[in-house]
Amino acid sequence: MSSAAAPWWRSAVIYQVYIRSFADGNGDGVGDIAGLRSRLPYLKSLGVDAIWINPWYKSPMADHGYDVADFREIDPLFGTVAEAERLIEEAHEHGIRVIPDIVPNHTSDQHAWFRAALAAGPGSPERDRYVFRPGRGPDGSEPPNNWVSSFGGPAWTRLPDGDWYLHLFAPEQPDLNWQHPEVRAEFESVLRFWFSRGVDGFRIDVAHGLIKHPELPDLPPRRAPVEGQPARHVDHPHWDRDEVHDIYRGWRKVADEFPGDRCFVAEAWADTPERLAAYVRRDGLHTAFNFDFLMSTWDPKELRTVIDDSLAMLGSVGAPATWVLSNHDVVRHPSRYGRPSPARRWVANDTYRAEGPLDFGLGTRRARAAALLMLALPGGAYVYQGEELGLPEVEDLPESALQDPIWERSGHTQRGRDGCRVPIPWSGRTAPYGFSPDDATAAPWLPQPAHWAEFSAAAQTGDATSMLELYRRALRLRRATPALGDSTLTWLDAPEGVLAFRREPGFVCVVNLSAEPCPLPGHTAVLLSSGPVEGGVLAPDQAAWLAV
Ligand code: GLC
């Protein structure tokens, strides 16, 4: 497809800004809109097409913004609506599009609707916007069913008046009732509020969770996937129910009311690529995260299967693929790839656990190769802030510093996701490494490691061997190379353990996942490689882009 006519989101590289950890403009130790605005030139020089900003709405921050108290206000920790408007304008001036997060599955328990529901009491219409039920057992002291919270413990909390309410995440995040017309109308109105302020789309949080089985039946017993057998879809009472697509048909109409190409990206966890493809269609959402790619181990067969299945299923509904290696919910990928056999997750929202000794040098070599693989595949890609700096997962945060609700909810058995959310280093030899201004009044909200000076953007700038310069060159080349972005690929014959594919016109990507050096196929030039290429040979755990 000629990229001149195709909408931008079919091939965009979207940079994820986890706003509280990106850049702190006012010196309170928490990232904010002022900090983000000051770093737009950095993002432009990195060469990304858009930014996705994690929730910035008014929130008591029980889940760092994923508990929204008011969708039309910016939390004072981050700024104001006026500042958000300026950010959107300035980003556009830099040629960068802006996609905020929207959180439709639940609100904060401090949202006006939930407060009204608490005040109005059992059986009231106010409670009908959420999922309230009486308990089971003679005195109603058992939860209405056996559903569990993704953050640990039961998915129900009982109120002093006897009613129970549903929360698939923390108790501070009550689930909305999407069968209620007011809920549907309210979210369409919120979308219009932000579309009118110039946003280019939304990342939809927990997009697969909105519809619950009307009878709220118990969960069936959990079955582990059978090794060697393809994944299959299992009917589930609250994940990925068919009726959810009806909501997104309405959202698509809202997006289409606005000029230009707006884009929704679904955070949808589906059992199979077919089920994922159902989210993206002409009258539905535009794109969806490809978590199978993120969850794949550094294994040539597994990666190739994921790539083929994704391209086939998404292609069959006319949607572009997207590729992602890291985000704010999973262990950073240089740390994942640096372990002998990364622990696999088998249900959505189980967090990766860091197990076994870490060889960070190996993980970094693989991360460099993975970046070239991802950015050469057909479709769009996501880059999580700090990935371009090669940041490791911070695995030794002191327990007293941990803030993710998972830590408390799991009874201190799971450390949660703070290790990938540590404020990023910009410059200087010591914390806060330019994250906060010199006259900051508070330390960064999570402590940064003492050895992070070498990872700072300033330290890596101009160093041709650094991760940052690899990303800069790759993104520059991607823009300049007509073969990259949207369209298709053709696999080439390659030695065991090597992935090699061609993109037209005249481009080949080779990734060596074997333990042996491999000769590069015929080429006219090595455009870029993840490590030194000597004598036409690609070392293990390296990738190269070739002109052919
Ligand atoms: C999504 C977000 C995660 C959040 C959860 C609840 O999975 O990515 O960070 O905790 O939804 O909103």
Side-chain angles (χ1 to χ4, degrees), residues 334-351:
S335 299
R336 293 199 320 259
Y337 292 153
R339 289 206 152 76
S341 69
R344 289 299 311 277
R345 39 186 302 159
W346 58 275
V347 289
N349 288 306
D350 254 5
T351 38

Side-chain angles (χ1 to χ4, degrees), residues 63 66 106 151 169 203 205-206 267 328-329 417 421:
D63 185 21
Y66 281 99
H106 40 264
F151 292 162
F169 294 89
R203 177 259 188 195
D205 188 59
V206 197
E267 186 216 15
H328 65 295
D329 291 329
R417 303 159 293 180
R421 300 174 173 181

Side-chain angles (χ1 to χ4, degrees), residues 4-217:
W8 64 276
W9 44 265
R10 294 194 65 94
S11 57
V13 177
I14 302 180
Y15 185 93
Q16 180 188 351
V17 175
Y18 191 70
I19 187 162
R20 54 186 299 124
S21 302
F22 186 64
D24 168 19
N26 67 356
D28 65 356
V30 180
D32 47 34
I33 296 179
L36 172 52
R37 286 170 65 198
S38 75
R39 302 295 177 180
L40 287 171
Y42 168 84
L43 295 173
K44 185 178 171 71
S45 89
L46 181 59
V48 298
D49 301 296
I51 49 177
W52 147 35
I53 306 170
N54 287 98
W56 53 3
Y57 313 104
K58 191 161 191 319
S59 164
M61 303 288 163
D63 185 21
H64 293 333
Y66 281 99
D67 47 320
V68 179
D70 187 340
F71 289 93
R72 295 180 185 80
E73 283 293 340
I74 296 285
D75 196 87
L77 202 52
F78 301 137
T80 61
V81 171
E83 272 184 283
E85 287 172 337
R86 274 202 291 282
L87 165 79
I88 296 163
E89 253 169 58
E90 289 167 4
H92 288 166
E93 282 159 18
H94 283 86
I96 297 172
R97 298 180 198 253
V98 179
I99 298 182
D101 224 302
I102 184 91
V103 190
N105 182 66
H106 40 264
T107 67
S108 160
D109 61 352
Q110 299 305 311
H111 190 282
W113 276 2
F114 195 73
R115 293 158 71 121
L118 293 191
S124 60
E126 285 83 352
R127 289 207 172 177
D128 214 23
R129 297 188 193 118
Y130 292 88
V131 186
F132 282 87
R133 290 288 183 282
R136 288 200 286 207
D139 53 356
S141 65
E142 288 161 39
N145 65 26
N146 69 354
W147 295 4
V148 288
S149 151
S150 294
F151 292 162
W156 296 92
T157 289
R158 194 176 197 193
L159 295 168
D161 61 30
D163 245 7
W164 294 76
Y165 70 89
L166 176 70
H167 51 86
L168 293 179
F169 294 89
E172 296 87 352
Q173 295 166 296
D175 278 55
L176 285 163
N177 168 18
W178 273 88
Q179 311 293 357
H180 198 302
E182 279 177 34
V183 172
R184 297 201 180 209
E186 167 65 1
F187 272 86
E188 294 192 359
S189 154
V190 167
L191 295 177
R192 288 193 183 95
F193 178 91
W194 288 103
F195 276 137
S196 326
R197 279 163 182 75
V199 303
D200 299 280
F202 289 90
R203 177 259 188 195
I204 306 171
D205 188 59
V206 197
H208 59 309
L210 275 46
I211 297 287
K212 279 79 182 173
H213 189 299
E215 280 144 35
L216 309 183

Side-chain angles (χ1 to χ4, degrees), residues 382-468:
Y382 284 83
V383 174
Y384 175 46
Q385 69 179 37
E387 146 180 357
E388 81 281 17
L389 303 176
L391 292 186
E393 179 78 2
V394 181
E395 292 171 356
D396 57 358
L397 284 169
E399 291 184 355
S400 59
L402 296 180
Q403 301 205 18
D404 186 344
I406 290 178
W407 172 240
E408 287 302 327
R409 296 275 304 165
S410 70
H412 296 184
T413 58
Q414 285 190 45
R415 292 172 60 86
R417 303 159 293 180
D418 291 324
C420 66
R421 300 174 173 181
V422 173
I424 66 173
W426 291 97
S427 58
R429 304 297 313 160
T430 52
Y433 304 108
F435 168 72
S436 297
D438 290 343
D439 57 355
T441 52
W445 70 279
L446 283 173
Q448 299 161 302
H451 65 275
W452 264 21
E454 57 174 300
F455 288 103
S456 79
Q460 296 193 38
T461 296
D463 171 359
T465 66
S466 71
M467 188 72 89
L468 178 56

